[in-house]
């Protein structure tokens, strides 16, 4: 199902909808739902949309997606669903008010949100909702008696000035076939698993980046993090959410960096955590970095470094090599996982003690990524 024209007003929100023809990323006109902020910042706005009933099979997995952009990050843009039984009766209990997204932070460019509802037999300790305000993950499980679904979306709770706009376009529901799962499993097993982090999505970060606009990096337009010189220091460190790792595998960490101030020391590093997600701070792993040096240029350069399996002999490692290595591509045996590591986070920013102190330097970071590979160096 792809809802280009099958929206209708949400019966609990409004009686009519405002559609607007807006330019897509390639310039062609597309039909979008427009939500206009109202002066009351304690209510939802009269623009909520809900789809017709969409037939589903609760024994299958479905992907839900939508594109959203907004003129103000204060406006909270919601996106969710309702599930119905064979008699078209809405299912309540744990599915009484289900959402994939319930926060703002949307930028003035189109961003695709996606989320999944898994088969009703999926084992999740009986919990239907993983309580994730973000999406991109296993957010919900179908109720066993579900036979239909409606998609719903709209805006609420802005800053009350009554001037901001949000647009929603291309809502869709897609069945995830077993063949697609098989291909994905084979790819993950034979090649690698990639973890990416969206600079503009607060759900991806323990310490949020400072969004410094958009830039064309490595063939694509992407949000970028800005770190500004201040006195003899730099601030605005970004630290990703914790993600699960296998300490018997090799990982590559990478990010793109551009700097307008060659005296600024820009770094790319990581943190590691044990099974209780407590940071491991013993020895040199307390403040680990792949890169911690200045002389970055005003052109985008990809930096990368490797963490090898915990059973790699320590004699092959050089823990000090990442600091000051005169290479734009930090390849080599930089680190190895502690034997008790189970989670990690990627981090980047400016070194807090350097810079020439003229308060004019600024650095940008883009496309942070972690790649798990079964291949060995």
């Amino acid at each position: 199902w792809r809802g280009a024209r099958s929206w209708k007003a949400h019966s609990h929100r409004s009686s009519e909808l405002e559609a607007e023809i807006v330019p897509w990323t390639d310039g062609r006109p597309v039909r979008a739902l427009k939500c206009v902020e109202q002066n009351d910042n304690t209510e939802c706005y009269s623009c909520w949309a809900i789809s017709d009933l969409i037939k589903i099979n609760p024994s299958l997995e479905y992907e839900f997606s939508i594109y959203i952009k907004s003129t103000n990050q204060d406006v909270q843009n919601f996106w969710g669903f309702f599930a119905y039984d064979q008699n078209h009766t809405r299912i309540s209990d744990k599915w009484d008010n289900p959402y994939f997204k319930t926060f703002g932070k949307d930028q003035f460019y189109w961003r695709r949100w996606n989320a999944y509802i898994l088969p009703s037999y999926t084992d999740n300790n009986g919990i239907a909702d993983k309580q994730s305000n973000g999406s991109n993950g296993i957010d919900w499980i179908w109720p066993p008696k579900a036979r239909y679904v409606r998609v719903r979306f709209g805006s609420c709770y802005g800053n009350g000035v009554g001037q901001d706009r949000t647009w929603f376009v291309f809502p869709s529901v897609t069945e995830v076939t077993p063949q697609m799962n098989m291909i994905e499993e084979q790819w993950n097993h034979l090649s690698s698993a990639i973890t990416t982090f969206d600079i503009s999505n607060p759900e991806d970060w323990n310490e949020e980046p400072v969004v410094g606009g958009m830039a064309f990096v490595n063939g694509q337009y992407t949000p970028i993090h800005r770190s500004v010189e201040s006195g003899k220091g730099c601030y605005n460190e970004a630290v990703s959410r914790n993600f699960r790792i296998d300490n018997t595998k090799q990982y590559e960490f990478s990010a793109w960096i551009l700097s307008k101030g060659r005296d600024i020391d820009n770094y790319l590093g990581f943190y590691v955590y044990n099974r209780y997600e407590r940071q491991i701070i013993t020895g040199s792993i307390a403040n680990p970095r792949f890169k911690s040096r200045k002389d970055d240029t005003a052109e985008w350069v990809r930096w990368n470094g490797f963490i090898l399996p915990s059973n790699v002999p320590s004699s092959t490692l050089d823990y000090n090599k990442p600091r000051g290595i005169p290479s734009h591509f930090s390849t080599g045996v930089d680190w190895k996982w502690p034997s008790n590591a189970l989670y990690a986070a990627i981090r980047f920013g400016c070194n807090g003690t350097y810079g020439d102190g003229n308060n004019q330097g600024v650095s940008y970071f883009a496309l942070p990524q972690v790649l798990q590979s079964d291949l060995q160096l």
Side-chain angles (χ1 to χ4, degrees), residues 5 42 66 102 124 210 214 248 290 292 311 363 367 372-373:
R5 294 187 178 275
T42 65
I66 195 169
T102 61
N124 193 29
V210 176
M214 299 281 289
T248 68
F290 302 111
S292 182
N311 59 1
S363 295
L367 301 176
Q372 177 209 315
S373 174

Side-chain angles (χ1 to χ4, degrees), residues 112-314:
R112 182 179 185 266
W113 292 86
N114 74 314
Y116 295 86
I117 303 183
L118 294 190
S120 59
Y121 56 77
T122 303
D123 182 13
N124 193 29
N125 297 321
I127 301 173
D129 178 16
K130 297 198 77 172
Q131 303 298 328
S132 171
N133 280 344
S135 52
N136 301 315
I138 303 171
D139 291 337
W140 292 89
I141 295 172
W142 287 117
K145 60 182 180 180
R147 296 296 181 271
Y148 298 91
V149 69
R150 292 185 192 268
V151 180
R152 58 196 179 113
F153 43 91
S155 300
C156 303
Y157 318 131
N159 57 18
V161 299
Q163 298 178 351
D164 296 307
R165 308 288 187 270
T166 295
W167 293 267
F168 301 81
V169 73
F170 299 144
S172 70
V173 180
T174 306
E175 176 188 321
V176 180
T177 65
Q179 289 79 8
M180 290 175 63
N181 286 335
M182 185 182 303
I183 292 172
E184 182 178 358
E185 289 172 3
Q186 290 175 348
W187 169 256
N188 287 341
H189 175 71
L190 296 175
S191 181
S192 60
I194 300 174
T195 303
T196 58
F197 305 92
D198 186 341
I199 294 290
S200 65
N201 182 11
E203 293 297 307
D204 277 356
W205 303 93
N206 291 333
E207 296 183 30
E208 289 185 39
V210 176
V211 179
M214 299 281 289
F216 192 72
V217 185
N218 194 32
Q220 60 184 295
Y221 282 100
T222 183
I224 57 175
H225 166 64
R226 182 183 67 223
S227 192
V228 181
E229 180 184 6
S230 178
K232 284 288 185 178
C234 291
Y235 299 93
N236 311 127
E237 178 185 52
V239 182
S240 77
R241 58 175 168 78
N242 298 354
F243 56 91
R244 185 76 175 262
I245 61 97
D246 180 347
N247 64 39
T248 68
K249 303 292 185 181
Q250 171 186 306
Y251 288 73
E252 180 195 33
F253 288 62
S254 65
W256 292 73
I257 302 175
L258 176 153
S259 186
K260 298 179 180 180
R262 301 191 67 159
D263 291 323
I264 301 175
D265 280 29
N266 302 305
Y267 66 86
L268 169 66
F270 63 99
Y271 290 132
V272 289
Y273 307 86
N274 62 18
R275 61 182 297 182
Y276 304 107
E277 297 195 57
R278 294 174 181 168
Q279 186 182 349
I280 299 172
I281 57 175
T282 56
S284 57
I285 206 73
N287 188 27
R289 298 176 180 179
F290 302 111
K291 173 194 183 306
S292 182
R293 60 180 290 270
K294 56 186 178 181
D295 289 329
D296 288 304
T297 66
E299 296 182 357
W300 287 106
V301 173
R302 180 181 183 267
W303 289 85
N304 72 326
F306 292 90
I307 306 179
L308 275 85
S310 59
N311 59 1
V312 171
S314 295

Side-chain angles (χ1 to χ4, degrees), residues 42-70:
T42 65
E43 298 290 340
C44 290
Y45 309 142
S46 57
C47 60
W48 274 69
I50 190 166
S51 73
D52 294 328
L53 287 170
I54 304 162
K55 190 171 181 58
I56 60 94
N57 182 339
S59 65
L60 299 178
E61 176 184 344
Y62 289 78
E63 181 191 32
F64 291 66
S65 66
I66 195 169
Y67 286 82
I68 303 173
K69 77 172 182 178
S70 182

